[in-house]
Amino acid sequence: MLKDPVRKYRAFAPVGLRDRTWPDAVIAQAPVWLSTDLRDGNQALIEPMDIERKLRMFKMLVKIGFKEIEVGFPSASQTEYDFVRKLIDEDLIPNDVTVQVLSQAREPLIRRTFDAMHGAKRVIVHLYNAVAPVMRKVVLGLDENGIVDLATTHARLFQELAAQQPGTRWTFQYSPEMFSGTDLAFSKRVVDAVTGVWQPTPQEKCIVNLPSTVEHSTPNIFADMIEWMHRNLARRDSIVLSVHPHNDRGTGTAAGEFALMAGADRLEGCLFGNGERTGNLDLVNVALNLYTQGVAPGLDFSDIDEIRRIVEHCNQLPVHPRHPYAGDLVYTSFSGSHQDAIKKAFAARREDDMWDMPYLPLDPKDLGRSYEAVIRVNSQSGKGGVAYLLESEYGLELPRRLQIEFSQAVQRVMDVEGKELTARDLFALFESQYRTCATPAPRYRVEEQQRGGPVRVVADIAMQGRAHRIDAAGAGPIDAFVNGLNAAIGADLRVLDYHEHAIGAGADARAVAYMELRVGQRTLFGVGIDANIVAASLKAILSGMERAAEESAAASAPAATA
């Protein structure tokens, strides 16, 4: 690093908006939300989503409550085009949802984009071109007049192509790309020229999207830029003013919230902030920040853990355990004083009280997490040490949520015995808790009916001392086995998560499988160890089912005795 960085880097110039009003503004209602997970977020993935994963993501976004969803860049690849066509041809877009597609200011790409949307009911079609000085000089080789001509020429093409598809309700959107690095006067000039072509009205508005393509400034300066545009744009009453913050400086959430205070109507971003480089605006953060201030966001995150699992599956990227609101550890207090304060506040709180809890800005129940989970996580000061000993001495690499669950059992033993537990003690407790020796491998066979197709599992098992025959099909052996269990014993079983790894190497290697299961309303783990990975997986499921049955029996015993 340079000792004198000013020789290489320039400070971002402030706007000098002396009569700014945004610092005193209060966000009292939710913005219009646009999810760009399927386009901007998808472009940022090492392996972009295939159609199956994109469809799963789309359905989840609809379920959460997004009414505007950017579904792709149909001129970019055949996969993008085919996905958009699938949504339209199979009538998968709800009537109250508007899909958005993006195109550069290039005629062939625009024509391809409009072709992709043939037959859609409601579409936002998004035009963009770079306007920043560095892009004008280095990439495009155009002066300011050339940039304005580029934008307006293609804005007129939007009108022409939309007129050829009168059955679709079109909304036009324009982004002066790299707005965050462009002088405001020129940004206004380009935007005004585009809206001058489109001639929006208060009844038929267009969208002007101001992207923080690269975050150059502190968020207060970005807010000044938005307020300046909000005040000075022509036809403002006919414009939905949108912002698209990135997170290069780590202040994307602040920039998005400040922009709303400064006059923006709409936010574009991704769930959990996925996006190029350091990511886009995190819509979960902003929505739940509003929620904690008593503002209904219009988005439903009641099952935040399931949403996180789907996003992790579709993006093939983990959500950080310290991620606000959704991370595994965000309601965790390892400090004893924090734990004591939380426990006392829970004891003093009445059901209808306003939420005012130490260290917990939001009620975890609102996001589908129980108080039991909060207390469990917050009381595990030693789970890291437990996990380290089991891995270093016995090769067990426990998933984080299993670490938390098992640490409860460890704490119960330590509370009774009041002594330090050795690695051998911990392993013996682990074997007892998860029945890794007591659960026999079921006799089973797996039949693949056709290559790549469903499989059938036939197995004989013993549950609670009773024998059962499993005979069912599924996408794989685990899926088939779960289907068979649910049918054979009337279980209400789902596999939430699955981890496996080898213990040892060579001929003596064994496989260990960790299954996070939902049995009825209970979430718990099962563990199986075997020389065969399929057998280990089936043992893990049976381990969890036996644990759930014993816990259920123990819970009902006092009532039965009474």
Side-chain angles (χ1 to χ4, degrees):
M1 294 178 66
L2 301 175
K3 293 183 179 179
D4 190 14
V6 74
R7 292 187 289 115
K8 186 173 182 179
Y9 300 101
R10 288 190 299 270
F12 195 88
V15 175
L17 195 66
R18 301 301 179 194
D19 58 344
R20 63 180 64 85
T21 62
W22 66 263
D24 293 323
V26 175
I27 305 173
Q29 64 181 27
V32 177
W33 305 102
L34 182 282
S35 162
T36 188
D37 291 88
L38 292 167
R39 196 276 300 172
D40 203 350
N42 188 46
Q43 288 175 213
L45 301 178
I46 297 171
E47 296 182 9
M49 286 180 262
D50 56 20
I51 288 179
E52 182 275 328
R53 283 190 288 158
K54 290 196 79 167
L55 184 58
R56 187 175 185 189
M57 177 76 81
F58 177 79
K59 289 179 177 179
M60 180 189 67
L61 293 170
V62 170
K63 185 177 180 181
I64 290 171
F66 284 95
K67 301 305 179 186
E68 295 184 2
I69 301 172
E70 192 170 36
V71 293
F73 203 149
S75 64
S77 73
Q78 193 61 44
T79 299
E80 295 286 287
Y81 187 96
D82 290 345
F83 174 67
V84 170
R85 288 311 317 163
K86 181 180 181 69
L87 293 179
I88 297 168
D89 294 338
E90 298 183 18
D91 198 21
L92 299 175
I93 306 169
N95 289 333
D96 62 344
V97 171
T98 303
V99 294
Q100 177 170 305
V101 287
L102 179 74
S103 178
Q104 290 173 292
R106 293 172 55 189
E107 181 172 346
L109 302 184
I110 292 172
R111 291 188 181 277
R112 175 77 165 165
T113 300
F114 273 86
D115 178 64
M117 305 314 294
H118 183 76
K121 298 172 185 174
R122 302 156 59 98
V123 178
I124 299 169
V125 61
H126 181 186
L127 174 69
Y128 78 95
N129 63 277
V131 298
V134 65
M135 297 295 286
R136 298 198 304 259
K137 297 172 185 175
V138 177
V139 179
L140 299 175
L142 296 173
D143 60 12
E144 291 187 357
N145 291 335
I147 293 293
V148 173
D149 182 65
L150 178 72
T152 54
T153 297
H154 293 95
R156 282 188 286 271
L157 182 58
F158 265 41
Q159 287 182 309
E160 295 169 12
L161 295 177
Q164 295 172 17
Q165 298 186 45
T168 297
R169 181 175 178 181
W170 299 98
T171 298
F172 297 156
Q173 174 170 327
Y174 176 68
S175 288
E177 199 210 359
M178 300 192 75
F179 165 79
S180 53
T182 306
D183 61 282
L184 293 173
F186 184 60
S187 292
K188 167 180 160 54
R189 180 186 170 193
V190 178
V191 170
D192 286 351
V194 170
T195 61
V197 171
W198 287 341
Q199 289 295 309
T201 67
Q203 294 72 39
E204 295 290 336
K205 296 183 179 183
C206 71
I207 301 169
V208 170
N209 184 57
L210 303 177
S212 181
T213 309
V214 177
E215 200 176 31
H216 291 298
S217 69
T218 52
N220 61 301
I221 293 178
F222 183 69
D224 281 352
M225 295 170 71
I226 299 303
E227 182 165 341
W228 190 94
M229 293 291 281
H230 168 62
R231 293 186 191 181
N232 290 286
L233 283 177
R235 292 168 281 274
R236 178 63 183 93
D237 64 347
S238 302
I239 290 171
V240 175
L241 189 60
S242 176
V243 292
H244 184 112
H246 278 245
N247 198 44
D248 300 88
R249 294 172 55 93
T251 58
T253 296
E257 292 180 332
F258 284 5
L260 294 179
M261 295 161 63
D265 309 304
R266 180 178 185 261
L267 291 181
E268 296 193 352
C270 294
L271 298 177
F272 308 119
N274 181 43
E276 293 282 7
R277 306 180 310 279
T278 58
N280 289 352
L281 175 65
D282 186 330
L283 297 184
V284 175
N285 270 13
V286 179
L288 292 178
N289 284 352
L290 291 179
Y291 183 79
T292 64
Q293 303 302 302
V295 177
L299 301 175
D300 186 359
F301 296 112
S302 296
D303 193 351
I304 196 70
D305 290 333
E306 180 67 12
I307 292 169
R308 186 190 66 214
R309 288 187 185 100
I310 293 174
V311 170
E312 289 179 329
H313 165 77
C314 292
N315 288 343
Q316 300 294 292
L317 290 172
V319 172
H320 196 282
R322 299 288 185 189
H323 184 284
Y325 302 113
D328 276 339
L329 300 179
V330 295
Y331 304 112
T332 304
S333 291
F334 292 108
S335 162
S337 62
H338 290 197
Q339 295 169 5
D340 182 63
I342 291 170
K343 289 176 182 177
K344 288 178 179 176
F346 268 127
R349 186 175 186 276
R350 294 173 297 179
E351 182 64 30
D352 295 329
D353 287 349
M354 294 295 288
W355 187 257
D356 185 17
M357 296 286 289
Y359 309 112
L360 292 173
L362 177 145
D363 187 346
K365 268 190 174 180
D366 292 352
L367 303 184
R369 292 185 173 181
S370 67
Y371 292 148
E372 178 187 4
V374 171
I375 295 170
R376 181 176 69 220
V377 171
N378 286 343
S379 64
Q380 306 314 311
S381 300
K383 74 178 176 62
V386 170
Y388 173 78
L389 288 173
L390 288 177
E391 180 175 356
S392 62
E393 298 294 328
Y394 294 96
L396 295 175
E397 301 169 10
L398 274 58
R400 184 175 299 279
R401 286 188 289 277
L402 176 54
Q403 292 177 29
I404 295 168
E405 182 184 275
F406 178 55
S407 291
Q408 271 198 311
V410 174
Q411 191 65 54
R412 285 194 297 268
V413 171
M414 294 182 72
D415 288 345
V416 172
E417 299 188 3
K419 67 180 183 66
E420 181 182 0
L421 297 181
T422 66
R424 180 179 294 181
D425 295 331
L426 290 172
F427 185 67
L429 179 60
F430 187 82
E431 283 187 318
S432 172
Q433 187 76 11
Y434 295 98
R435 298 156 178 78
T436 57
C437 294
T439 304
R443 292 186 294 114
Y444 72 94
R445 69 176 187 272
V446 178
E447 301 172 358
E448 189 171 12
Q449 297 171 353
Q450 60 182 11
R451 186 172 181 83
V455 302
R456 178 185 174 211
V457 169
V458 179
D460 293 304
I461 66 167
M463 285 286 298
Q464 296 289 291
R466 296 180 60 185
H468 300 277
R469 164 58 66 96
I470 301 293
D471 188 344
I478 294 172
D479 187 45
F481 191 69
V482 169
N483 291 341
L485 267 176
N486 284 333
I489 66 174
D492 180 16
L493 169 66
R494 284 193 297 147
V495 175
L496 298 181
D497 207 356
Y498 170 74
H499 298 267
E500 57 88 14
H501 64 83
I503 305 175
D508 295 329
R510 293 182 298 164
V512 57
Y514 311 102
M515 293 280 183
E516 187 176 17
L517 306 173
R518 178 71 59 84
V519 184
Q521 298 301 310
R522 180 81 170 98
T523 299
L524 77 173
F525 276 84
V527 181
I529 301 175
D530 198 276
N532 179 279
I533 184 57
V534 175
S537 300
L538 303 189
K539 288 171 74 172
I541 294 170
L542 294 176
S543 159
M545 290 293 291
E546 289 281 6
R547 294 183 65 228
E550 290 184 10
E551 288 184 14
S552 178
S556 61
T561 302

